């Protein structure tokens, strides 16, 4: 079973390495069906089948 699917109250997503910080903040503030975004995987174009270049959490954005 995919480990990411085990987190039923948490959501993970993918973003492009070119996504601006201003675009990321609303993503973490949005909550749908009691599921919150906890982590963004950064890839070249924001696709899940690409190599992960980095990870962003809401804690990373608190310093901005």
């Amino acid at each position: 079973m995919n480990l990411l699917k085990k987190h039923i109250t948490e959501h993970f997503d993918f973003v492009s390495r070119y996504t601006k910080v201003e675009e990321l903040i609303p993503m973490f503030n949005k909550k749908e069906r009691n599921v919150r975004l906890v982590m963004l995987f950064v890839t070249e174009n924001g696709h899940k089948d690409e190599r992960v270049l980095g990870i962003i959490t809401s804690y990373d954005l608190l310093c901005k």
Side-chain angles (χ1 to χ4, degrees), residues 10 21 24-25 28-29 36-40 55-64:
E10 297 175 332
V21 172
L24 301 176
I25 295 170
F28 282 102
N29 290 332
R36 66 184 180 96
L37 179 65
V38 293
M39 189 177 304
L40 290 169
I55 296 172
I56 300 172
T57 68
S58 60
Y59 296 104
D60 297 318
L61 299 176
L62 288 175
C63 297
K64 300 291 178 196

Side-chain angles (χ1 to χ4, degrees), residues 6-19:
K6 286 185 176 183
H7 296 266
I8 59 173
T9 61
E10 297 175 332
H11 173 67
F12 305 87
D13 210 348
F14 293 82
V15 294
S16 165
R17 68 183 295 177
Y18 305 105
T19 305

Side-chain angles (χ1 to χ4, degrees), residues 46-59:
H47 303 294
K48 65 180 179 180
D49 58 343
E50 298 177 315
R51 185 171 79 90
V52 174
L53 303 173
I55 296 172
I56 300 172
T57 68
S58 60
Y59 296 104

Side-chain angles (χ1 to χ4, degrees), residues 30-48:
K30 185 177 178 183
K31 192 171 183 180
E32 294 181 14
R33 299 183 310 270
N34 288 333
V35 178
R36 66 184 180 96
L37 179 65
V38 293
M39 189 177 304
L40 290 169
F41 294 101
V42 181
T43 64
E44 185 68 29
N45 299 298
H47 303 294
K48 65 180 179 180

